């Protein structure tokens, strides 16, 4: 094989001597492609450098050098010229063709004018008219060219916006490694931001497009027809407004322009209809989802949603019945239609009260302003359905959001808390305008009071609810200077039970008879409504002798707790203060004994300092029969079935467990205790047959009292009807307390004192404390007799009655009393 390497090397040497600028003469560098066969059937394809590497098999292949700046510029210019020159040429050609077409039309018009001048006789003034006609033809041509250029030029600029960066790089002879954002994308992004930020941008853009179409269409009509400018603009508007009005146009140019204007008009009106439809849809959707602002004042605002909302709305509706109904606004993180549907399922009469639902978060200030939080007379923060700590944490955040409202609020805030330990933190954040109702604490204290005094729960339900008598505080200047013993009998339709002292603002329950009302003092009464009572003349009261009996001594009691609550330590403290020494408290739950003591100690209870009660621990499951049978259920004075702390997130599961425990306890008691015919007869009268399993369980209630904590009010009604539990406490009582404090925040101090283990409390006293058997006296007489025991009688229950009477109507009526009757009093706890 001949060796051609010297010739090849000389060729390359000559090529390297060429000047660098000579490369710019080539549009694209051409590299020869050679093919070489080595005789073994293997062929090599490539450029001359590869061919030389094959010929010189002993030499290693040389790396291809990087491109020079001249080569990069050549490559960029080639790319630009090949891809865009054709577009630019077509666009310019189109514009030039339209320009030539206009010029030809103008020349034809001039030619016609010259021919007419040559063939016709000369008329005076015709030269001037012909000159004006030629000038008008020239002006129409100029207008036509201007329209074409102004229409095509923006399109051309938009087409070649992305090429400006390439041209800039060519001029600078640099190749940037980091590519800039194309100008088209920047413009599109700016338009997107403009349409998103400004709500009326779409309408303004549509208006601008309409004006541009009318102006350009009118000028185009003026250029291709014989009408004036004003007439052409009017025709352009009619073509835009009515797409069928261009049918009578004559001439090809006029028809083309008319069709184009009509098509643009149809597009604009379709866009306008779409915008109007979207605006209406958004408005209806905003109303449906509850996004509109509430323009109310002096309303009650409820923040949050829970199972207590139904009974809360019912109590608020009853409270506002006397004024013809009020307005209640509910703000919750739920859909407005779902909230309205759930409220409609409650199926109770709102008595003129309007309930307005809004969807939003109480943690967002904009949503709070949407429901007129500044104008509300009372704000109720409901606890969530989460566990106690999460619910209280959310309530704390809501209070922080309320403090962030710049306008402030004129009413007070009632916050539902779940854990008593979290109450001081909310008070610290909200200040004096925050009133708290601790749901667990209220239910726990009521359960203890009802266990020690059977029948007291029904009294509390009558006082807390607005359906019967409730607490009211009002100022009566005509009673200033009266002693409290005279004020006590001054109201025919109410019962005074306390005084709010104007000097320090404290509410004194059950004051002494010698207290004299001063100016500014307010009287706390129990009445049916705030407008149903007023002071009258003092009635005649007979002062006579009555039996003076001492309060019976306290005896040790044996109480059983089934379940574990998070505030069970507070319940133990209350029992320690109320029970007699030697009492026993049995705690039956699934918590191990060592862990119980640790939890009680961590909660602040010192077990070693318990004097009156002794803790007896039993571990087991309250829904397993054999575990319950290991307990002496027939020996307990009271049995309290508590809602399990581990199931507080699920009301249904907690109530199911409590109900199963209740049934098992009653069944075990019915088999261990002797059967009572008297009780059976009473049950037959109530409508249950002899063989009914409920009757067999009810006969055990003569020995021990069973108090059940049922969270759902619907389950509570079922258990109450069956009468297998002496009383059922539910969240409905918490809703009543929330509604009462929302109507008047001062009542919260009264309730806290009555719930506490110290101070004044509600009690049920036997009739023998105040009357003789079969004595006939009026209610005023009994009230005066009770004052000698430093007590305020607020009601009574006659023998054989199922319900107690709070705040009797005719207090001057003589009634014959028996020793089987009982009276409801407010007395100081011993």
């Amino acid at each position: 094989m001949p060796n051609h390497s010297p010739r090849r090397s000389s060729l390359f040497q000559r090529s390297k001597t060429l000047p660098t600028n000579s490369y710019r003469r080539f549009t694209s560098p051409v590299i020869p492609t050679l093919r070489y066969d080595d005789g073994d059937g293997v062929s090599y394809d490539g450029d001359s450098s590869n061919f030389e590497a094959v010929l010189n098999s002993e030499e290693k292949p040389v790396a291809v050098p990087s491109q020079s700046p001249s080569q990069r510029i050549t490559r960029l210019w080639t790319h630009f010229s090949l891809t865009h020159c054709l577009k630019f040429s077509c666009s310019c050609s189109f514009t030039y063709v339209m320009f030539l077409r206009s010029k030809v039309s103008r020349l034809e018009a001039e030619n016609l004018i010259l021919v007419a001048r040559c063939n016709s006789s000369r008329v005076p003034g015709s030269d001037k008219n012909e000159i004006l006609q030629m000038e008008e033809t020239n002006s129409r041509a100029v207008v036509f060219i201007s329209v074409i250029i102004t229409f095509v030029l923006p399109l051309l600029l938009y087409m070649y916006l992305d090429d400006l960066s390439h041209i800039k790089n060519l001029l600078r002879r640099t190749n940037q490694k980091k590519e800039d954002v194309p100008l088209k994308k920047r413009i599109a992004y700016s338009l997107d931001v403009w349409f998103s930020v400004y709500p009326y941008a779409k309408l303004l853009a549509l208006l601008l497009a309409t004006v541009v179409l009318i102006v350009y269409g009118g000028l185009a009509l003026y250029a291709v027809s014989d009408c004036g400018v004003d007439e052409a603009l009017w025709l352009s508007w009619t073509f835009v407004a009515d797409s069928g009005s261009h049918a009578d146009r004559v001439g090809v140019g006029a028809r083309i322009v008319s069709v184009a204007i009509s098509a643009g008009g149809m597009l604009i009106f379709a866009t306008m209809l779409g915008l109007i439809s979207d605006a209406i849809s958004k408005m209806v959707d905003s109303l449906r989802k509850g996004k509109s602002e509430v323009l109310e004042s002096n309303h009650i605002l409820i923040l949050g949603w829970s199972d207590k909302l139904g009974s809360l709305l019912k109590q608020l509706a009853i409270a506002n019945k006397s004024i013809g109904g009020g307005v209640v606004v509910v703000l919750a993180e739920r859909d407005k239609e779902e909230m309205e549907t759930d409220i409609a399922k409650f199926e109770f009469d709102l008595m003129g009260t309007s309930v307005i639902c809004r969807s939003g978060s109480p943690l967002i200030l904009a949503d709070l302003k949407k429901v007129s939080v500044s104008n509300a007379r009372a704000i109720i923060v409901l606890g969530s359905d989460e566990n106690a700590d999460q619910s209280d944490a959310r309530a704390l955040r809501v209070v922080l959001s309320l403090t962030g409202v710049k306008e402030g609020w004129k009413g007070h805030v009632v916050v539902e808390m779940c854990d008593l330990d979290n109450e001081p933190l909310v008070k610290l954040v909200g200040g004096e305008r925050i009133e708290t109702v601790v749901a667990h604490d209220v239910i726990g204290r009521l359960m203890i009071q009802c266990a020690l005094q059977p029948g007291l729960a029904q009294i509390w339900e009558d006082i807390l609810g607005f359906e019967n008598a409730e607490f009211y505080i009002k100022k009566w200047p005509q009673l200033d200077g009266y002693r409290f013993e005279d004020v006590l009998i001054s109201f025919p339709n109410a019962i005074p039970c306390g005084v709010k002292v104007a000097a320090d603002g404290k509410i004194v329950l059950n004051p002494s008879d010698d207290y004299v009302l001063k100016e500014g003092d307010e009287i706390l009464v129990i009445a049916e409504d705030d407008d149903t009572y007023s002071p009258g003349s003092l009635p005649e009261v007979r002062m006579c002798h009555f039996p003076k009996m001492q309060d019976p001594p306290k005896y040790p009691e044996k109480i059983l707790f089934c379940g574990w609550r998070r505030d069970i330590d507070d319940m133990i403290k209350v029992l320690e203060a109320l029970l007699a020494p030697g009492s026993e408290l049995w705690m039956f739950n699934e918590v191990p004994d060592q862990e119980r003591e640790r939890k009680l100690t961590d909660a602040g209870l010192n077990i070693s300092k318990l004097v009156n009660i002794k803790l007896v621990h039993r571990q087991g499951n309250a829904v397993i029969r054999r575990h319950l049978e290991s307990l002496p259920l027939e020996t307990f004075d009271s049995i309290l079935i508590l809602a399990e702390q581990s199931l507080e997130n699920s009301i249904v599961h907690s109530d199911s467990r409590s109900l199963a425990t209740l049934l098992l306890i009653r069944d075990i008691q019915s088999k261990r205790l002797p059967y009572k015919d008297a009780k059976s007869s009473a049950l037959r009268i109530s409508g249950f047959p002899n063989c009914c399993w409920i009757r067999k369980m009810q006969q055990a209630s003569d020995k021990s009292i069973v108090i059940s904590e049922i969270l759902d009010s619907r389950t509570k009604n079922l258990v109450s009807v069956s009468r297998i539990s002496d009383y059922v406490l539910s969240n409905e009582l918490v809703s009543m307390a929330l509604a009462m404090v929302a109507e008047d925040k001062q009542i919260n101090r009264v309730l806290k004192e009555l719930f506490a283990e110290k101070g004044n409390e509600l009690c049920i006293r036997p009739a023998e404390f105040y009357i003789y058997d079969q004595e006939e006296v009026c209610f005023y007489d009994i009230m005066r007799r009770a004052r000698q025991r430093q007590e305020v009688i607020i009601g009574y229950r006659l023998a054989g009655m199922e319900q107690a009477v709070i705040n009797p109507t005719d207090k001057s009526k003589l009634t014959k009393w028996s020793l089987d009757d009982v009276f409801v009093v407010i007395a100081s706890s011993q």
Side-chain angles (χ1 to χ4, degrees), residues 63-340:
V64 180
S66 59
Q67 294 181 347
S68 63
S70 301
Q71 290 176 340
R72 289 198 299 269
I73 294 174
T74 303
R75 180 173 57 81
L76 292 174
W77 174 254
T78 302
H79 173 74
F80 173 77
S81 60
L82 291 178
T83 55
H84 301 289
C85 285
L86 184 60
K87 296 180 183 179
F88 186 78
S89 300
C90 293
S91 302
C92 292
S93 300
F94 176 77
T95 306
Y96 187 66
V97 166
M98 298 303 297
F99 171 75
L100 293 179
R101 178 70 179 84
S102 174
K103 190 172 183 179
V104 169
S105 300
R106 183 171 58 84
L107 292 175
E108 288 178 353
E110 292 179 355
N111 188 26
L112 291 176
I113 293 173
L114 292 175
V115 171
R117 291 180 61 185
C118 293
N119 295 333
S120 61
S121 59
R122 300 185 63 84
V123 180
S126 59
D127 292 340
K128 185 176 181 180
N129 294 334
E130 291 171 357
I131 292 172
L132 293 175
Q133 187 176 1
M134 291 179 63
E135 291 179 354
E136 184 177 358
T137 302
N138 294 334
S139 65
R140 292 180 186 275
V142 172
V143 170
F144 184 78
I145 294 172
S146 301
V147 170
I148 295 297
I149 293 175
T150 54
F151 183 75
V152 173
L153 187 60
L155 296 178
L156 294 176
L157 290 176
Y158 183 75
M159 289 172 59
Y160 299 107
L161 281 177
D162 293 343
D163 299 326
L164 294 178
S165 60
H166 295 291
I167 297 174
K168 185 187 298 184
N169 291 335
L170 288 174
L171 294 176
R172 295 181 179 180
R173 297 185 179 181
T174 59
N175 186 16
Q176 298 180 357
K177 295 182 180 180
K178 184 179 178 181
E179 296 183 358
D180 296 335
V181 179
L183 193 56
K184 285 184 181 180
K185 290 186 178 181
R186 294 181 182 177
I187 296 176
Y189 174 74
S190 300
L191 291 176
D192 185 19
V193 172
W194 188 54
F195 284 126
S196 301
V197 173
Y198 301 100
Y200 300 103
K202 295 180 180 179
L203 294 177
L204 293 177
L206 184 62
L207 178 62
L208 179 62
T210 304
V211 173
V212 170
L213 180 61
I214 293 174
V215 173
Y216 272 79
L219 294 177
L221 281 176
Y222 171 75
V224 298
S225 61
D226 54 353
C227 60
V229 177
D230 52 350
E231 184 66 20
L233 293 175
W234 175 252
L235 288 175
S236 178
W237 158 246
T238 57
F239 295 161
V240 171
D242 186 6
S243 59
S245 60
H246 67 280
D248 57 347
R249 293 292 91 192
V250 179
V252 177
R255 290 178 177 177
I256 292 175
V257 174
S258 301
V259 169
I261 297 174
S262 299
M266 288 188 290
L267 180 62
I268 287 176
F269 272 87
T271 306
M272 181 178 65
L273 290 177
L275 293 177
I276 294 175
S277 177
D278 291 342
I280 296 176
S281 299
K282 289 181 180 179
M283 185 181 301
V284 174
D285 186 66
S286 176
L287 295 175
R288 181 178 61 85
K289 292 185 177 181
K291 296 181 179 179
S292 59
E293 185 177 358
V294 176
L295 303 178
E296 296 287 347
S297 60
N298 201 33
H299 59 283
I300 295 180
L301 176 61
I302 301 177
L303 303 178
W305 185 279
S306 69
D307 58 294
K308 306 179 186 66
L309 182 65
S311 54
L312 178 60
L313 291 177
K314 181 180 179 180
Q315 295 299 323
L316 293 176
I318 298 173
N320 294 322
K321 179 182 178 181
S322 59
I323 58 175
V327 178
V328 179
V329 181
V330 180
L331 176 66
E333 297 182 40
R334 299 186 61 193
D335 187 71
K336 177 176 178 289
E337 293 181 341
E338 293 181 1
M339 291 189 286
E340 293 175 347

Side-chain angles (χ1 to χ4, degrees), residues 444-456 555-563 571 575 578-579 583-588 616 631-642 661-662 665-666 669 673 700-708 725-727 729:
R445 292 177 182 271
L446 285 178
M447 290 184 72
I448 293 176
Q449 291 188 10
C450 297
L452 299 180
Q453 302 186 65
L456 192 61
Y555 295 98
E557 297 194 26
K558 193 174 182 180
I559 299 176
L560 171 65
F561 279 0
C562 285
M571 298 179 68
L575 285 175
L578 298 179
L579 294 180
S583 300
E584 291 184 1
L585 174 60
W586 289 53
M587 302 178 65
F588 178 72
V616 180
L631 300 174
L633 297 177
E634 69 278 5
T635 63
F636 293 106
D637 298 300
S638 301
I639 299 176
L640 278 65
I641 301 177
L642 310 177
T661 304
L662 172 63
I665 290 176
R666 280 308 191 196
Q669 285 182 336
L673 294 175
S701 63
D702 279 356
K703 176 59 180 175
S704 62
I705 301 170
V706 178
I707 306 295
S708 306
S725 179
D726 294 275
Y727 201 79
L729 292 173

Side-chain angles (χ1 to χ4, degrees), residues 467-734:
E467 295 178 347
N468 299 304
E470 54 272 357
F471 290 105
Y472 293 101
I473 298 178
K474 190 180 293 186
K475 185 185 301 183
W476 298 99
Q478 60 267 38
L479 297 180
D480 291 347
Y482 278 54
R483 300 171 70 243
F484 184 76
E485 63 175 354
D486 296 330
V487 174
L488 189 65
I489 58 176
S490 298
F491 293 88
N493 299 318
I495 297 179
C497 52
V499 176
K500 181 183 178 182
V501 182
D504 53 6
K506 293 182 178 181
I507 297 178
V508 180
L509 283 174
N510 188 17
S512 63
D513 291 341
D514 297 332
Y515 181 82
V516 178
L517 262 67
K518 301 178 178 59
E519 182 180 359
D521 288 351
E522 301 179 37
I523 302 175
L524 173 68
V525 301
I526 294 180
E528 185 179 357
D529 208 339
D530 57 350
D531 59 348
T532 59
Y533 72 98
S534 61
S537 58
L538 295 178
E540 295 183 1
V541 179
R542 295 181 302 174
M543 299 299 296
C544 59
H545 297 285
F546 66 96
K548 297 181 180 181
M549 300 184 60
Q550 299 295 329
D551 292 335
K554 293 182 179 181
Y555 295 98
E557 297 194 26
K558 193 174 182 180
I559 299 176
L560 171 65
F561 279 0
C562 285
W564 185 274
R565 299 174 94 240
R566 64 170 48 247
D567 59 344
I568 197 170
D569 58 304
D570 294 322
M571 298 179 68
I572 295 175
K573 293 177 182 178
V574 175
L575 285 175
E576 169 68 16
L578 298 179
L579 294 180
S583 300
E584 291 184 1
L585 174 60
W586 289 53
M587 302 178 65
F588 178 72
N589 48 68
E590 297 182 77
V591 182
D593 295 347
Q594 295 181 355
E595 187 176 352
R596 292 184 200 178
E597 295 181 359
R598 182 184 59 81
K599 287 185 176 182
L600 294 175
T601 304
D602 294 342
L605 177 64
N606 192 346
I607 301 177
S608 60
K609 291 185 178 181
L610 295 178
V611 178
N612 296 332
I613 61 176
K614 175 186 176 182
L615 298 183
V616 180
H617 297 283
R618 290 292 185 271
Q619 185 176 354
N621 194 335
V623 295
I624 298 178
R625 186 181 184 91
R626 72 174 185 276
H627 291 180
L628 289 173
E629 288 178 343
S630 64
L631 300 174
L633 297 177
E634 69 278 5
T635 63
F636 293 106
D637 298 300
S638 301
I639 299 176
L640 278 65
I641 301 177
L642 310 177
E644 283 286 347
Q645 179 183 354
S646 58
L647 299 177
E648 62 184 6
N649 291 339
S650 177
I651 295 178
V652 177
H653 292 169
S654 178
D655 288 351
S656 300
R657 184 182 179 89
S658 300
L659 184 59
T661 304
L662 172 63
L663 295 175
L664 289 174
I665 290 176
R666 280 308 191 196
D667 185 51
I668 296 173
Q669 285 182 336
S670 65
K671 294 180 179 179
R672 294 182 180 179
L673 294 175
Y675 185 77
K676 300 179 179 57
D677 293 336
K679 186 71 176 179
S680 176
S681 301
L683 291 169
R684 284 198 297 269
I685 293 174
S686 63
F688 295 106
N690 283 334
C691 59
C692 183
W693 61 273
I694 299 180
R695 180 184 57 80
K696 296 179 182 179
M697 295 181 183
Q698 286 177 337
Q699 63 94 18
S701 63
D702 279 356
K703 176 59 180 175
S704 62
I705 301 170
V706 178
I707 306 295
S708 306
E709 181 184 5
I710 302 295
L711 302 180
D712 194 348
S713 59
R714 295 169 295 184
T715 310
K716 174 237 177 184
N717 296 332
L718 295 176
V719 179
S720 300
V721 170
S722 64
R723 298 182 182 178
I724 59 177
S725 179
D726 294 275
Y727 201 79
V728 182
L729 292 173
S730 67
N731 285 329
E732 188 174 3
L733 292 174
V734 180

